[in-house]
Amino acid sequence: MSKAFGFVAYGGPENQEFLDRPAPEPGPGTLLIAVRAAGVNPADWKKRRGMFGTGDDLPAVLGSEAAGVVRAVGPGVSGFAVGDAVFGTTPVGAFAEHTLLAAEGAAHKPGAVTFAQAAALPVAAATAYDAVRQLDLDPGRTLLILGIAGGVGSAAAQLAREQGLRVLGTAGEHSRAHVEALGATPVRYGEGVGERVAAAAPDGVDGILDLVGGEAVRAVAGVLADRSKLVSTVDAATAEELGGGYVRRDGTGAVLTVLADLVAAGKFDPQITATYPLAHAAEAMAAVESGHARGKLILEVS
């Protein structure tokens, strides 16, 4: 049997528990891996609460990104072999000793990249990469990131800086040092944020990456001259209402390879702020669900 952490009913943390299940069998287009690390994301508690729908068979394993070692290769998969160190997204849950990766969305882990670093890339960092690429701002332009202190924001700030952009980001005062360490200018969110952004960028901003949605993006939209340069990862309706759009995800291993190479070259830090053993998965979930976690949280599986 293979141990996993998931939920047995939709709702709060009281529905989470450890599960014993057979190791999944790799079908067409998938890889069976022994998990070494898994990323924890806000989407995990939102899934448990049923915010993405309640159609999954229960119990369900939590987590959507993992890194580990290939134990078996499914039919029709090429480019991967047993023993390869890999990382990617999983359709069957990542908080487990074994899981499946979708081969199309998986990549080889470079030797210079740890399993924890690799597990931090497929969701938050890849979303940030897709969004920054979609904004397509020229070097020297100014990007405003709403909710910069979290996993996607921390990644987007670094990727934007790597492309020569000036970065501003909204965050709480307790995250000021973290935002400054990313090379970005922090702007305190809350009432009056539009005026504070305008003061920090008197010539306006050239792009907005929205990681918050709702009134938070409406409050700052006036500083953006070209509304087509507004991309949201959380609120498609508001982004479109304001003239922008939703992030277009790539979903292939090619993006992961680019990100891993940046990590290996020392040009990108996945911003892992805490690691937990699998046995403490509930604590990691609570930290993310609190809404105050900065950077990336990782579960390590021995």
Side-chain angles (χ1 to χ4, degrees), residues 40 78 126 130 184 226 296:
V40 187
S78 61
D130 291 340
D226 181 357
K296 282 291 296 188

Side-chain angles (χ1 to χ4, degrees), residues 58-128:
L58 298 180
V61 179
L62 289 160
S64 57
E65 58 184 349
V69 178
V70 176
R71 290 290 180 248
V73 177
V77 174
S78 61
F80 297 97
V82 172
D84 286 352
V86 297
F87 64 110
T89 56
T90 170
V92 297
F95 299 176
E97 293 174 332
H98 299 87
T99 194
L100 301 176
L101 298 186
E104 183 182 11
H108 291 90
K109 181 187 77 66
V113 176
T114 68
F115 283 109
Q117 289 173 322
L121 300 177
V123 174
T127 300

Side-chain angles (χ1 to χ4, degrees), residues 242-271:
L242 295 170
Y246 199 64
V247 62
R248 296 188 295 270
R249 297 303 315 278
D250 180 283
T252 68
V255 169
L256 301 188
T257 297
V258 170
L259 290 168
D261 288 345
L262 287 172
V263 175
K267 296 180 178 180
F268 179 74
D269 180 354
Q271 293 289 316

Side-chain angles (χ1 to χ4, degrees), residues 38-42 44 65 116-117 119-121 123-125 147-158 171 174-175 177-179 181-182 211 268-276 284 287-298:
V40 187
N41 297 286
D44 298 322
E65 58 184 349
Q117 289 173 322
L121 300 177
V123 174
I148 194 173
V152 178
S154 297
Q158 294 180 76
H174 66 285
S175 297
H178 174 72
V179 176
L182 296 171
L211 311 177
F268 179 74
D269 180 354
Q271 293 289 316
I272 297 171
T273 53
T275 58
Y276 300 78
V288 171
E289 195 164 0
S290 74
H292 299 299
R294 294 192 295 271
K296 282 291 296 188
L297 275 57
I298 297 293

Side-chain angles (χ1 to χ4, degrees), residues 112-170:
V113 176
T114 68
F115 283 109
Q117 289 173 322
L121 300 177
V123 174
T127 300
Y129 181 90
D130 291 340
V132 171
R133 183 168 59 175
Q134 184 174 334
L135 283 164
D136 193 27
L137 299 178
D138 293 330
R141 298 295 186 178
T142 298
L143 171 64
L144 171 64
I145 302 175
L146 305 183
I148 194 173
V152 178
S154 297
Q158 294 180 76
L159 294 169
R161 293 282 295 159
E162 178 67 20
Q163 293 185 17
L165 303 180
R166 180 194 178 207
V167 179
L168 282 69
T170 63

